[in-house]
Amino acid sequence: MDMEKEKTLAFTLDPKSGVPYYKQIILQIEMAISDGRLVSGDQLPTVRGLAVDLRINPNTVARAYNELEIRGVVNTQQGTGTFISDKTISMTEVERERILAGLAREFIAKAQSYGFSKDDVLSFLVEEDPVKRNNQEVSDGDKKSTVFTH
Amino acid sequence: MDMEKEKTLAFTLDPKSGVPYYKQIILQIEMAISDGRLVSGDQLPTVRGLAVDLRINPNTVARAYNELEIRGVVNTQQGTGTFISDKTISMTEVERERILAGLAREFIAKAQSYGFSKDDVLSFLVEEDPVKRNNQEVSDGDKKSTVFTH
DNA sequence: TTGTATGTACTAATACTCTCATACATTGGG
DNA sequence: CCCAATGTATGAGAGTATTAGTACATACAA
């Protein structure tokens, strides 16, 4: 049964978090890709479907999908749907490095705005390996949660 | 032997950067602390003084100082001034680590959504090392000196 | 072709961020 | 006690970000 697989994507929104809805959606998709719940070719929920689920406007979901499309994370076809794209073909090595450099800069800057030094960040990353940690979202009711690794 | 320059702290603002003034001030103070131009007990410029220098409103400077105070980087006494804290008092090391872990997890997930592996990210960061800094060692020596002149 | 599912465009309402103007409160020295 | 220096409180204004309402466009299968 691939019932498990369906359960792994449970979007939730926290209105009190201060994080915009569309960004929460983006983050949850990134997490799902990061831990393998979403892989290339998978279809995302439709903008209307997810909008109804989350009780928000379809355009808000569309905005999240749009931003991901600009990044090349998903590709979208009007009338068909939005799908996780295959990143291995789309970018050259130079391009990839440029993007990674941008992400790194962005992250360092954000960490600094929280008062961390670059050294703080670097030494933390090499020591702690952050991805193994579990997440804090969801957990709103049923706890299937099969996918997150420890 | 060269006398060190006395101009320890020269705040500047870049209006075109898109970074809010109060954040630019925070960044510059953090940098000054991180490279030793500011140490525990040093007094920061007064909100009015710096505001005049930078041609902005005193409240904008105050906002920067406030945020630093919340983080425990400085402490403030009405009527007296704002000073670099003796130690970081407000947040525990555990708390700081928890926050950094969250930021890191988000960053890694985002990078992975672009198709980068965790190792891609780590090795990039270690190699590119935004700052190869080993010069924290007291280039200031006996330099407690006039951080600000009254 | 037609219908229904999909995403999209445009616009307006709302909420938030940043900065400033003005007035107020506290401290410490004379 | 005053006074001048310090930070603080409140609210207004402009600009931007976020979300929603409504109507439109495209794809695909019957």
Side-chain angles (χ1 to χ4, degrees):
Chain A
M1 341 264 196
D2 42 20
M3 181 171 99
E4 305 273 327
K5 187 173 182 186
E6 304 301 325
K7 277 296 187 180
T8 51
L9 266 191
F11 288 90
T12 59
L13 293 180
D14 179 0
K16 289 175 293 186
S17 71
V19 180
Y21 289 158
Y22 81 96
K23 282 185 184 170
Q24 294 188 40
I25 293 171
I26 289 174
L27 285 184
Q28 288 173 47
I29 292 172
E30 285 171 351
M31 289 298 176
I33 293 173
S34 159
D35 63 25
R37 283 172 298 158
L38 283 176
V39 298
S40 295
D42 282 350
Q43 178 170 14
L44 290 173
T46 68
V47 292
R48 277 159 226 271
L50 186 50
V52 168
D53 265 14
L54 299 176
R55 298 169 204 221
I56 60 178
N57 192 281
N59 274 331
T60 302
V61 179
R63 176 167 184 182
Y65 287 6
N66 250 311
E67 215 163 288
L68 290 170
E69 168 145 61
I70 290 172
R71 296 188 202 163
V73 174
V74 304
N75 44 43
T76 281
Q77 276 215 338
Q78 189 165 332
T80 306
T82 301
F83 303 84
I84 305 295
S85 56
D86 182 358
K87 295 109 197 164
T88 55
I89 32 182
S90 44
M91 279 185 285
T92 75
E93 192 54 38
V94 176
E95 183 87 2
R96 280 172 56 83
E97 178 122 339
R98 193 180 60 74
I99 288 178
L100 181 50
L103 290 173
R105 253 199 312 280
E106 187 181 284
F107 168 56
I108 298 281
K110 185 168 186 177
Q112 279 184 330
S113 82
Y114 277 80
F116 296 103
S117 74
K118 292 170 187 170
D119 289 340
D120 285 341
V121 173
L122 283 182
S123 42
F124 175 83
L125 279 177
V126 291
E127 286 167 14
E128 276 295 331
D129 238 66
V131 183
K132 301 185 171 180
R133 312 178 65 89
N134 213 328
N135 69 346
Q136 64 220 26
E137 61 205 358
V138 180
S139 79
D140 197 41
D142 65 355
K143 250 330 246 177
K144 269 42 174 232
S145 79
T146 46
V147 176
F148 283 100
T149 57
H150 302 79
Chain B
M1 289 301 296
D2 57 303
M3 285 293 292
E4 304 280 337
K5 301 191 291 183
E6 291 293 327
K7 64 164 310 181
T8 5
L9 269 193
F11 287 91
T12 59
L13 293 179
D14 179 1
K16 291 176 292 186
S17 71
V19 179
Y21 289 159
Y22 81 97
K23 281 187 184 170
Q24 294 188 41
I25 293 170
I26 289 175
L27 255 290
Q28 288 174 45
I29 291 171
E30 284 174 339
M31 289 303 168
I33 293 173
S34 113
D35 65 21
R37 276 138 61 216
L38 284 176
V39 299
S40 295
D42 282 350
Q43 178 171 14
L44 291 174
T46 68
V47 292
R48 278 162 228 270
L50 186 50
V52 168
D53 265 15
L54 298 177
R55 297 164 206 230
I56 60 177
N57 191 280
N59 273 331
T60 302
V61 179
R63 177 167 182 182
Y65 288 5
N66 251 312
E67 214 165 287
L68 288 169
E69 168 145 62
I70 290 173
R71 295 192 204 152
V73 175
V74 305
N75 45 42
T76 280
Q77 274 216 334
Q78 188 165 338
T80 305
T82 301
F83 304 84
I84 305 296
S85 298
D86 299 340
K87 272 298 187 183
T88 34
I89 23 180
S90 64
M91 248 190 297
T92 75
E93 191 55 38
V94 177
E95 184 81 2
R96 279 175 54 85
E97 180 138 328
R98 196 182 58 75
I99 290 175
L100 182 51
L103 292 174
R105 188 168 56 86
E106 242 177 45
F107 165 57
I108 298 287
K110 185 170 185 177
Q112 285 184 319
S113 79
Y114 277 86
F116 296 106
S117 76
K118 195 179 11 169
D119 287 338
D120 286 341
V121 174
L122 285 182
S123 42
F124 175 84
L125 279 176
V126 172
E127 285 167 14
E128 285 292 324
D129 202 326
V131 220
K132 226 71 159 181
R133 55 224 307 265
N134 209 350
N135 50 358
Q136 288 209 45
E137 277 316 343
V138 192
S139 52
D140 268 355
D142 46 354
K143 231 36 192 309
K144 157 71 177 162
S145 77
T146 55
V147 180
F148 311 103
T149 43
H150 305 91

